[in-house]
């Protein structure tokens, strides 16, 4: 890989990471408001369970499917014939909008029956509220489907900023619902906020795509070879839903039969750990995907392997130390992020322990999107599907078995084990498929990263004990101070050790931060 290409991917990932961090911070503020108003209990359990059916449909049919089938083909056509690429995109927009509308209309009719299956522990008013919210939320997959087509066009054109802004705007809609609509409409107000956010999500990506040269002209050109190629890649990918989405469904089904607050605690802890995954796992995978697709299209297998290897190490460089910090500072993080209003110490302990278990697999969750996209860039959707289905089965089995003895924590251990397994299997298969995939470079770099992370762990733990004895645990400010200072001390040692160990990613990362954020 040449220097310019490395810099391009790193800069793109840095931009994506910045906006992802901003989006996640807004999302955490959203969770802060929800936790402070409702804590973990029946209302928040109802809210999260109502998301499961709409989210499942969208993630199954569109989010984890459309972009990975669309972007490689669209990119290939765009390089050769922009007009033809535009026609393909319009056909996909028309088909997906109509298809998702029909699916959601059918599901709307059967929401009560489906809710019985997805929330077997709910009854009475909680069950009725879940049905009501689910019916309203079913508008969101239709809106997000349209938005995703525009977002896929923007990603293919490497217009990452607008795509990154869309989730931020979406969360502002939800926040508006919590603050202003809930006091007026009750729990329905929360749903209205979600739909408002989805519409804003669509608007910013639609106008962005149109401003980038996309011509909106709906058609149904099924004879187009590009459309058929996307359909060929699309169909098998439908079965390859992201393991994290299935984990939410499994957590909802099993969690509704356990103590109240299990579902909401799971979701709140998951949202916190997702900040790191979104910043460094998804950002690097998204930034590298167009390059991987282009390398494969041009049959440049050496650059494909080099790009993939480099991106793996970049992700590990950030996520391994973050995993350590999440485990050590889990109580401080949860208390600072969520600790207000009705969110008491018992809720803090439950959510913090869940976060600690999640943290074990953060690096694996961050690598899986990249590994999957490496297969998608090679126009191979079947392999990730089969691996995902196997990991899904393990997730369900482990979650059911472990929840019997560990309760709420068993669900998260099931998710953690299956996430580790999913990443390992994808990596193993890639070593056979990609000849220039440099495993030696990855293992050598990983060993250095782990050593530096061990030093981070020691310094953070010792610093935490020292600062805790001085600051105490009486207020949010003191808890924040001890966690923040301990984390900063650990990170300082980590980066110093990384530079001393000659980890190239440390120098590159510090260079990007210095040029783009401290300028």
């Amino acid at each position: 890989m040449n220097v310019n290409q490395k810099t391009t991917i790193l800069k793109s990932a840095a931009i994506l990471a910045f906006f992802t961090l901003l989006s996640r911070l807004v999302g955490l503020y959203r969770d802060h408001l929800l936790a402070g108003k409702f804590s973990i209990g029946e209302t928040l359990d109802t809210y999260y369970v109502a998301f499961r059916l709409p989210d499942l449909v969208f993630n199954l049919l569109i989010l984890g499917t459309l972009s990975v089938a669309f972007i490689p083909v669209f990119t290939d056509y765009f390089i050769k014939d922009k007009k033809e690429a535009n026609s393909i995109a319009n056909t996909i927009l028309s088909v997906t909008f109509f298809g998702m509308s029909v699916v959601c209309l059918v599901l709307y009719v059967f929401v009560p029956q489906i809710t019985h299956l997805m929330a077997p522990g709910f009854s009475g008013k909680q069950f009725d509220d879940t049905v009501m919210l689910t019916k309203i939320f079913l508008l969101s997959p239709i809106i997000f489907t349209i938005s995703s087509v525009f977002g896929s066009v923007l990603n293919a054109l490497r217009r990452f900023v607008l795509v990154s802004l869309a989730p931020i705007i979406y969360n502002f809609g939800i926040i508006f619902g919590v603050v202003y609509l809930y006091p007026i409409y009750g729990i329905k107000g929360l749903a209205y906020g979600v739909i408002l956010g989805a519409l804003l999500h669509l608007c910013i990506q639609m106008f962005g795509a149109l401003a980038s040269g996309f011509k909106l002209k709906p058609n149904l050109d099924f004879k187009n070879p590009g459309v058929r190629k996307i359909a060929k890649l699309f169909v098998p990918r439908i079965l390859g839903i992201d393991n994290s989405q299935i984990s939410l469904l499994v957590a909802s089904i099993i969690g509704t039969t356990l103590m109240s607050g299990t579902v909401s605690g799971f979701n709140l802890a998951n949202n916190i750990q997702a900040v790191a995954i979104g910043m460094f796992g998804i950002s690097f995978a998204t930034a590298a995907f167009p390059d991987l697709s282009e390398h494969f299209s041009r049959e440049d297998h050496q650059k494909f392997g080099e790009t993939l290897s480099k991106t793996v190490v970049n992700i590990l460089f950030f996520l391994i130390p973050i995993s350590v910090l999440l485990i050590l500072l889990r109580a401080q993080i949860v208390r600072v992020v969520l600790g207000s209003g009705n969110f008491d110490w018992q809720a803090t302990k439950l959510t913090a322990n869940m976060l600690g278990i999640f943290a074990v697999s953060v690096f694996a969750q961050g690598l899986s999107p990249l590994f999957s996209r490496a297969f998608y860039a090679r126009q191979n959707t079947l392999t990730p599907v089969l691996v995902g289905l196997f990991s899904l089965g393990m997730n369900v089995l482990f979650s059911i078995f472990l929840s019997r003895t560990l309760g709420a924590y068993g669900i998260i251990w099931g998710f953690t084990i299956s996430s580790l397994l999913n990443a390992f299997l994808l990596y193993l298969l890639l070593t056979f498929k990609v000849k220039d995939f440099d495993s030696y470079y990855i293992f050598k770099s990983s060993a250095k990263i782990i050593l530096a992370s061990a030093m981070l762990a020691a310094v953070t733990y010792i610093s935490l004990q020292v600062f805790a004895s001085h600051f105490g645990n009486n207020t949010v400010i003191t808890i924040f101070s001890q966690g923040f200072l301990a984390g900063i001390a650990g990170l300082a040692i980590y980066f110093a050790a990384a530079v001393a160990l000659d980890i190239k990613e440390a120098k590159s990362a510090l260079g990007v931060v210095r040029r783009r954020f401290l300028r």
Side-chain angles (χ1 to χ4, degrees):
M1 188 194 308
N2 58 49
V3 175
N4 288 335
Q5 187 185 11
K6 289 181 182 179
T7 305
T8 299
I9 293 178
L10 192 58
K11 285 184 177 180
S12 297
I15 293 171
L16 287 168
F18 172 76
F19 283 104
T20 300
L21 174 61
L22 185 59
S23 173
R24 298 296 184 178
L25 289 176
V26 175
L28 290 179
Y29 179 65
R30 171 205 66 204
D31 289 348
H32 177 83
L33 293 176
L34 288 168
K37 187 175 289 291
F38 305 111
S39 189
I40 53 176
E42 286 191 4
T43 301
L44 211 50
D45 283 357
T46 299
Y47 176 76
Y48 284 123
V49 170
F51 268 108
R52 294 290 68 81
L53 178 60
D55 279 1
L56 178 65
V57 172
F58 175 69
N59 284 282
L60 177 65
L61 297 179
I62 301 297
L63 183 63
T65 305
L66 177 63
S67 62
V68 297
F70 177 87
I71 290 177
V73 177
F74 181 84
T75 301
D76 191 25
Y77 272 82
F78 190 81
I79 293 172
K80 303 169 185 174
D81 188 341
K82 293 180 175 61
K83 185 177 180 180
E84 191 72 8
N86 195 81
S87 176
I88 292 171
N90 274 298
T91 297
I92 297 301
L93 176 64
S94 303
V95 172
T96 54
F97 168 68
F98 177 76
M100 182 59 76
S101 298
V102 171
V103 169
C104 288
L105 182 62
V106 172
L107 290 174
Y108 183 91
V109 176
F110 296 101
V111 166
Q113 292 81 2
I114 297 172
T115 303
H116 274 299
L117 298 174
M118 301 183 76
F122 284 1
S123 61
K125 186 177 184 302
Q126 189 176 23
F127 176 84
D128 294 337
D129 285 345
T130 304
V131 170
M132 176 190 65
L133 291 181
T134 302
K135 287 183 175 181
I136 299 174
F137 286 160
L138 278 172
L139 284 171
S140 62
I142 301 173
I143 300 170
F144 280 130
T145 294
I146 307 171
S147 185
S148 291
V149 176
F150 292 119
S152 295
V153 170
L154 289 171
N155 270 326
L157 299 177
R158 295 177 175 83
R159 304 289 193 270
F160 298 125
V161 173
L162 288 176
V163 179
S164 301
L165 282 173
I168 299 174
I169 303 300
Y170 171 61
N171 278 320
F172 276 128
I174 297 177
I175 290 171
F176 184 84
V178 175
V179 176
Y180 297 105
L181 300 181
Y182 176 77
I184 301 173
Y185 301 103
I187 198 169
K188 277 187 178 180
L190 300 178
Y192 296 153
V194 170
I195 301 305
L196 172 63
L199 289 170
L200 294 173
H201 188 283
L202 164 62
C203 288
I204 191 171
Q205 297 203 112
M206 179 178 69
F207 291 130
L210 294 175
S212 298
F214 177 72
K215 306 296 182 183
L216 183 60
K217 188 179 180 181
N219 59 42
L220 295 172
D221 186 9
F222 295 115
K223 295 181 179 180
N224 190 299
V227 173
R228 293 183 177 182
K229 197 169 187 179
I230 292 173
K232 184 179 178 181
L233 295 170
F234 182 93
V235 174
R237 174 59 191 157
I238 289 177
L239 298 176
I241 186 171
D242 184 12
N243 188 48
S244 63
Q245 291 300 320
I246 288 295
S247 74
L248 294 175
L249 177 60
V250 172
S252 295
I253 295 174
I254 301 176
T256 60
T257 66
L258 301 173
M259 67 178 183
S260 177
T262 296
V263 175
S264 46
F266 181 98
N267 279 271
L268 291 171
N270 180 57
N271 289 343
I272 292 175
Q273 63 122 21
V275 173
I277 297 167
M279 278 187 65
F280 301 111
I282 303 297
S283 294
F284 272 106
T286 302
F289 188 33
D291 292 271
L292 291 172
S293 299
E294 185 174 335
H295 295 330
F296 185 76
S297 179
R298 297 183 186 277
E299 298 185 359
D300 193 338
H301 303 299
Q302 182 179 355
K303 283 188 176 180
F304 186 98
E306 290 177 354
T307 300
L308 181 58
S309 304
K310 180 73 175 180
T311 309
V312 168
V313 176
N314 274 314
I315 291 173
L316 291 176
F317 176 76
F318 289 105
L319 288 187
I320 290 179
I322 288 175
S323 298
V324 174
L325 289 177
L326 285 175
I327 292 172
L328 293 175
L329 303 177
R330 61 189 183 278
Q332 287 79 9
I333 293 171
V334 170
R335 195 64 193 156
V336 169
V337 173
L338 303 174
S340 69
N342 295 316
F343 198 84
D344 57 19
W345 181 242
Q346 285 301 117
T348 299
K349 287 197 297 184
L350 175 65
T351 309
N353 289 334
M354 288 180 168
L355 177 60
I357 301 170
F358 270 127
V360 175
S361 64
V362 159
F363 79 93
Q365 295 177 64
L367 288 175
S368 290
L370 174 65
F371 291 157
S372 295
R373 281 168 173 78
F375 282 105
Y376 303 149
R378 299 170 64 85
Q379 300 181 16
N380 176 359
T381 55
L382 182 59
T383 298
V385 166
L386 295 177
V387 172
L389 288 174
F390 178 75
S391 300
L392 164 61
M394 293 298 100
N395 185 7
V396 173
L397 290 177
F398 280 118
S399 295
I400 293 174
F401 176 75
L402 294 175
S403 64
R404 294 176 180 174
T405 54
L406 301 176
Y409 302 132
I411 302 173
I412 304 180
W413 275 117
F415 167 75
T416 295
I417 295 170
S418 65
S419 296
L420 293 168
L421 183 62
N422 188 71
F424 174 74
L425 290 176
L426 287 173
Y427 167 77
L428 192 63
L429 292 171
L430 277 172
T431 59
F432 292 109
K433 294 287 185 179
V434 182
K435 293 181 180 179
D436 292 296
F437 193 18
D438 195 345
S439 293
Y440 175 75
Y441 165 68
I442 292 172
F443 281 115
K444 181 181 177 180
S445 300
S446 297
K448 294 180 180 180
I449 292 170
I450 292 171
L451 179 58
S453 297
M455 298 174 68
L456 173 148
V459 171
T460 301
Y461 180 79
I462 294 171
S463 300
L464 187 60
Q465 306 309 309
V466 173
F467 292 131
S469 64
H470 282 81
F471 291 109
N473 299 303
N474 297 324
T475 65
V476 172
I477 296 297
T478 58
I479 293 172
F480 170 79
S481 298
Q482 61 177 261
F484 177 76
L485 293 175
I488 289 296
L491 286 173
I493 292 297
Y494 175 74
F495 276 100
V499 172
L501 292 168
D502 194 29
I503 301 176
K504 297 178 182 179
E505 286 65 34
K507 298 177 181 178
S508 300
L510 290 172
V512 169
V513 171
R514 184 174 62 253
R515 291 192 302 272
R516 300 192 69 84
F517 298 112
L518 300 182
R519 183 168 51 192

